[in-house]
Amino acid sequence: MTVSNRQLRWAAAAILQEQLVAFPTETVYGLGANALSDHAVASVYAAKGRPQFNPLIVHVRSLEEAHYYGVFSETAWALAHQFWPGPLTLVLPRREQCRLSLLASAGLDTVALRVPAHPLAQALLHEAGVPVAAPSANRSGHISPTQAAHVIEELGKSVAIVLDGGPCAVGIESTVLDASSELLTILRPGSITKPMLEATTHQPVVYAAANSSIHSPGMLESHYAPDLPVRLNAVDTEQNEALLAFGVPLVSHAGLMLNLSPSGNLQEAAANLFRMLRELDSNGRKRGLKRIAVMPIPSSEDNSALGYAIQDRLTRAAAPRG
Ligand code: TXA
Ligand code: MG
């Protein structure tokens, strides 16, 4: 789980040679490519099987570097100052004539920027010296990876190297906030919650309407999906179901079960979510089970906003498959 300086230099060199590198961030593992290279960015879309209308997040070392690529309003600057490095992605107007691959922002006139806090992500960005476009390192529509082994399983053949930083602390992807216009809009909820953002902006922050696919092309309904179907808000289980519990598990359930957080802690649940979905999926299929039932997670937009972000991922995991 420790990465040597040699591996780090190797990874940076691979980025500069337009290859793909998987690396840990505090949220999930990313599939990184040189964001200045159309060729490298194109191979990210190819490796993931990702539609090219779904733009990528560009990772940079610092707020100073972010200014080369995005135009910051005063509010956007205040948010970046408060939450970077950390799990907040800001969608901003793309600076004209900036050197970023247009493919990274899928031809939009905005760009999604984030300064990750994970020391290995920071070390890679410093060593490579270029911005790194990185979606979550999973096949498009599948569950995001929170451990190096998840990446190797799904995308091992596509990457030059996987930097193993152990399990990701946050466990769900960054909050994506559209700060490209006056109305601050959360395109993807995450661990930096609406009340946290509003405490900095002193102005209301809204959630994008569920069907605002135009806003964020990535917000496709079915996403984060295991192979087994998912049933939400389960208060009982059937014989052919595995259980993803939260808090005190259902007494009636005797079969395969994992618990997101026995003590009902939302941070712990977020960190466990994707790994447990993967494990229930693969062990459930081995045992011939037909579905994953998930107990209710307390979630409201304001009071338990992290639960809201977890519920968002679960809803997409349970959505009808396209
Ligand atoms: O935590 C994270 O954000 C991880 C780690 C690796 O940093 N990355 C990640 O990337 O989750 P990805 O590509 O799986 O999700 C990026 C999201 C997508 O929903 C995409 O549609 C949205 O950000 N996005 C990117 N650029 C955008 C833009 N210009 N306008 C609107 N949405 C954008
Ligand atoms: Mg993703």
Side-chain angles (χ1 to χ4, degrees), residues 25 27-30 50 54-57 59 89 91 108 110-112 114 134-136 173-174 176 187-188 215-219:
T25 79
T27 57
V28 301
Y29 276 75
R50 178 171 175 130
N54 187 3
L56 309 177
I57 295 172
H59 298 66
T89 295
V91 173
L108 299 174
T110 53
V111 60
R114 148 156 148 79
S136 50
E173 303 84 346
S174 62
V176 179
L187 302 179
R188 180 175 70 186
H215 256 128
S216 195
M219 304 288 102

Side-chain angles (χ1 to χ4, degrees), residues 94-113:
R94 192 185 149 104
R95 197 171 282 289
E96 265 177 58
Q97 283 160 2
C98 79
R99 290 160 63 220
L100 287 182
S101 159
L102 266 173
L103 196 53
S105 38
L108 299 174
D109 52 12
T110 53
V111 60
L113 292 164

Side-chain angles (χ1 to χ4, degrees), residues 91-318:
V91 173
L92 300 173
R94 192 185 149 104
R95 197 171 282 289
E96 265 177 58
Q97 283 160 2
C98 79
R99 290 160 63 220
L100 287 182
S101 159
L102 266 173
L103 196 53
S105 38
L108 299 174
D109 52 12
T110 53
V111 60
L113 292 164
R114 148 156 148 79
V115 177
H118 196 292
L120 272 177
Q122 277 289 335
L124 178 66
L125 289 168
H126 275 90
E127 189 74 30
V130 293
V132 170
S136 50
N138 52 281
R139 302 228 3 114
S140 189
H142 285 201
I143 307 168
S144 297
T146 54
Q147 296 182 357
H150 299 162
V151 183
I152 295 166
E153 229 171 81
E154 276 191 34
L155 293 173
K157 293 202 180 89
S158 310
V159 298
I161 183 171
V162 180
L163 297 176
D164 186 349
C168 300
V170 176
I172 56 173
E173 303 84 346
S174 62
T175 304
V176 179
L177 181 74
D178 185 347
S180 66
S181 62
E182 294 276 288
L183 183 64
L184 299 171
T185 307
I186 296 176
L187 302 179
R188 180 175 70 186
S191 63
I192 296 194
T193 60
K194 180 170 123 99
M196 290 163 75
L197 294 167
E198 284 174 340
T200 295
T201 60
H202 307 293
Q203 71 179 76
V205 173
V206 300
Y207 287 102
N211 62 353
S212 64
S213 52
I214 310 116
H215 256 128
S216 195
M219 304 288 102
L220 304 170
E221 265 278 277
S222 173
H223 212 113
Y224 313 106
D227 287 340
L228 289 178
V230 174
R231 182 169 72 87
L232 300 182
N233 298 318
V235 290
D236 52 21
T237 52
E238 289 161 30
Q239 259 201 332
N240 56 11
E241 289 182 326
L243 178 65
L244 185 57
F246 178 82
V248 181
L250 301 172
V251 279
S252 57
H253 185 80
L256 180 62
M257 180 189 79
L258 289 173
N259 198 329
L260 288 169
S261 171
S263 66
N265 177 304
L266 289 169
Q267 259 95 25
E268 185 184 19
N272 284 331
L273 178 67
F274 291 141
R275 174 178 59 82
M276 291 188 172
L277 273 177
R278 276 174 189 267
E279 284 182 23
L280 289 180
D281 192 32
S282 82
N283 293 334
R285 277 181 296 134
K286 273 181 212 149
R287 296 194 196 181
L289 299 181
K290 294 286 178 295
R291 204 166 30 237
I292 300 170
V294 185
M295 284 176 63
I297 312 286
S299 71
S300 85
E301 297 186 0
D302 290 312
N303 297 332
S304 42
L306 181 56
Y308 186 72
I310 296 172
Q311 196 65 44
D312 167 77
R313 306 307 192 274
L314 285 169
T315 305
R316 292 173 207 280

